Amino acid sequence: MSGCRGCGAPLTTTFLDLGTMPLANAYPRSLAEAETERRFPLHVFVCDRCLLVQLAHDVAPEEIFSDYAYFSSYSYSWVEHARRFATAVKDRFGLGPDSLVVEVASNDGYLLRQFVALGVPVLGVEPAKNIADVAIAAGVPTEVCFFGAQTASDLVDAGARADLVVGNNVTAHVPDLHDFVEGLRRMLRPGGVVSLEFPHLLRFLAGVQFDTIYHEHFSYLSLLALEPILQAHGLRVFDVERLATHGGSIRVLAVLASDSRPDEDGVARVRAAERAAGLDDLAAYTSFAPLVEHCRASLRSFLDTERADGGSIVAYGAAAKGVTFLNYCGVTTREIAYVVDRSTEKQGRLIPGAHLPILAPSEVWKTRPDYVLILPWNLRDEIVTQLADVRSWGCRFVTAVPEVEVLP
C-alpha cells in the first residue's frame, strides 16, 4: 500500500507496532503444519491528515477469507443482536415482501435468516465458500464472491438493487475502502438505506482493545475518518447509534446524498463524543502504545505468579482477538494448557503462532483448572453463564484487557 486508505496521504506516524504475527483465523491442524506457518507485519499507522487508523501492510483478502473458520451463529448473543436489528429496521424502513435486503459479508446467514423469517427477501454476499454453503443450506440465497464496485454493478444488472444494504463488521475488513463504499452506493435503490456496524475507535482507545488488531482488520474506524469517504461516493450519514457489541460499536446509517431524509440526533452526539475524546488530535493516537505494554506486563505478572504457585490456567475462546493477545504476550502451553471453543471447525486445531491446542468446552470439567482466562472479553457474560458450573471446584474466571481482572 502506497498511502492512506482514506485520503492517500503518506503514512509516517506509528499507532502501534506488534511485530510479525500469523494470520488470526489460519488455525494449523497439526504441529507439522504449524512449522510452515507464515507471519506478516502487524504495524498500525495513523494518517496525519485524516486520522484514519490502518495497517500499512496488506495481506491478500483471498488468503484470509476464502476458507474461513469464523461462524457467526456460534454466538447466541450475536444472533439475538441480529434478530432485534431485523425486527426494528423492518418496521422503521417499511420493509416487506417487495423489498430486498442485501448483506455484505453475510457469513453463515445468521442475520439474513431473521429477515427471511419476517417475510423479507434477502441476498447474501460472502467470499468464504465453506461458510456460504451453510447459509445456502439454511435457505439464504448467497453469492460467493468479494464485494466491491464491480460486484455491485453485476448484482444490480441481475435485478438485485437493495432497499437495505447491511455491512456488519466488514468495513474494517476491506483493503480498498473507496471501492467498497462505491459498491454500497451502486447497490442502493433511491430511498434505500446503508447500515454499517463496526467497533468504534473511541471505545477501542478507552478500553485498550489492541487485541482486535489482526491482518483481516485493515482499518480501525471512527465516524470522523469514515464520513468523508462516504461523502466522496455520494452517501450521507443521517443517523448513528452507539451499541454495546464487540466492546463498543457504532451503527452508521446512510442514504444517497440526494435523499431529503433529515439528520437524527445521533450523528451530532457521536461527532461531539469523538471530539471530546480527542479523536481530532494526533496526540490521542500516539499515546496508545504504552497502555498496550502495560496490558502485556499485567498478564505476564499474573501468569508467572500462578505458575510459581502451581496454579493451572486454561483459556476460553479461540477468537481472532485471542490469537493476537496470546502471541503478543508470548503465551505458551507452559502457562496456559489449552483453549476451548464451541466451534467444531476449530476444535482439534491449534492457536496460530502460540500453538495451544483447541479443545471442546467439556475438557474443562475433565481437567478442573484453577482459572479460565476469557479471551473474547466482549462475550464475557455469555461465557460465564455457559461455564457457571466450574465454580463448583473453586475455578475462577479471568479477563486481561485492559489489565488482569479476576472476577468475583
Side-chain angles (χ1 to χ4, degrees):
M1 191 181 72
S2 58
C4 173
R5 300 176 194 277
C7 69
L11 295 175
T12 59
T13 301
T14 292
F15 174 74
L16 184 66
D17 189 353
L18 295 175
T20 61
M21 292 269 182
L23 297 179
N25 278 294
Y27 299 89
R29 298 179 185 275
S30 65
L31 288 173
E33 183 179 317
E35 291 179 0
T36 62
E37 198 170 49
R38 299 176 64 193
R39 300 176 73 93
F40 302 89
L42 202 54
H43 190 166
V44 188
F45 286 80
V46 56
C47 176
D48 295 355
R49 181 191 296 170
C50 72
L51 299 175
L52 176 65
V53 176
Q54 59 201 282
L55 291 184
H57 180 86
D58 282 356
V59 178
E62 292 79 6
E63 189 158 357
I64 299 173
F65 298 112
S66 295
D67 184 29
Y68 203 45
Y70 176 75
F71 287 72
S72 296
S73 292
Y74 280 112
S75 171
Y76 298 130
S77 60
W78 185 242
V79 173
E80 175 59 17
H81 172 75
R83 187 195 66 78
R84 291 195 303 267
F85 170 76
T87 301
V89 296
K90 177 182 183 293
D91 294 337
R92 182 177 181 182
F93 302 131
L95 302 174
D98 295 325
S99 307
L100 178 65
V101 176
V102 173
E103 185 183 13
V104 179
S106 51
N107 202 262
D108 58 9
Y110 75 100
L111 171 64
L112 294 181
R113 293 181 209 186
Q114 316 303 320
F115 285 102
V116 170
L118 294 170
V120 180
V122 302
L123 176 66
V125 180
E126 169 56 50
K129 185 178 185 302
N130 65 313
I131 295 180
D133 286 345
V134 173
I136 293 168
V140 176
T142 305
E143 294 288 331
V144 183
C145 59
F146 286 95
F147 182 81
Q150 187 58 55
T151 297
S153 292
D154 292 343
L155 292 174
V156 168
D157 288 345
R161 180 155 279 174
D163 299 275
L164 176 66
V165 183
V166 182
N168 286 348
N169 300 304
V170 62
T171 312
H173 291 68
V174 294
D176 189 338
L177 283 170
H178 285 281
D179 179 66
F180 176 77
V181 172
E182 175 61 19
L184 298 176
R185 185 195 66 77
R186 293 184 187 185
M187 283 298 315
L188 202 60
R189 181 175 294 167
V193 174
V194 171
S195 174
L196 302 175
E197 287 185 29
F198 50 84
H200 192 192
L201 184 66
L202 186 152
R203 295 292 297 277
F204 174 106
L205 294 170
V208 197
Q209 297 169 4
F210 77 94
D211 53 342
T212 61
I213 296 173
Y214 34 95
H215 296 100
E216 65 192 60
H217 285 170
F218 296 98
S219 305
Y220 303 84
L221 297 163
S222 63
L223 182 62
L224 172 77
L226 180 62
E227 202 165 8
I229 299 172
L230 295 172
Q231 291 170 348
H233 294 272
L235 293 172
R236 176 179 60 84
V237 175
F238 74 92
D239 199 6
V240 184
E241 303 171 39
R242 286 184 273 196
L243 309 169
T245 53
H246 294 287
S249 299
I250 55 175
R251 177 184 295 139
V252 173
L253 300 176
V255 290
L256 296 172
S258 57
D259 195 300
S260 60
R261 192 181 317 241
D263 286 356
E264 303 287 345
D265 293 341
V267 181
R269 281 199 297 268
V270 172
R271 286 174 183 155
E274 290 187 349
R275 287 195 299 271
L279 267 63
D280 56 352
D281 188 329
L282 198 60
Y285 305 88
T286 56
S287 60
F288 185 70
L291 301 177
V292 175
E293 293 167 7
H294 171 77
C295 183
R296 174 169 59 182
S298 176
L299 179 73
R300 290 303 322 176
S301 175
F302 172 76
L303 295 177
D304 293 345
T305 298
E306 290 303 320
R307 186 180 178 196
D309 292 344
S312 58
I313 306 170
V314 302
Y316 186 104
K321 58 169 53 73
V323 175
T324 294
F325 185 80
L326 294 170
N327 279 278
Y328 175 70
C329 294
V331 174
T332 69
T333 52
R334 292 191 300 273
E335 296 95 7
I336 295 180
Y338 57 83
V339 179
V340 299
D341 198 280
R342 291 182 60 244
S343 172
T344 55
E345 291 289 319
K346 297 178 183 179
Q347 292 168 14
R349 300 195 187 193
L350 304 172
I351 292 291
H355 302 157
L356 278 62
I358 304 170
L359 307 175
S362 58
E363 192 69 19
V364 176
W365 280 266
K366 296 178 184 177
T367 63
R368 298 167 71 91
D370 298 304
Y371 296 96
V372 174
L373 172 64
I374 298 173
L375 296 173
W377 40 260
N378 54 303
L379 300 176
R380 185 183 81 172
D381 293 345
E382 178 180 329
I383 292 165
V384 168
T385 299
Q386 287 177 19
L387 300 187
D389 290 349
V390 305
R391 289 182 168 129
S392 64
W393 66 81
C395 181
R396 302 182 72 181
F397 295 99
V398 182
T399 57
V401 176
E403 60 185 358
V404 169
E405 178 185 1
V406 180
L407 305 187

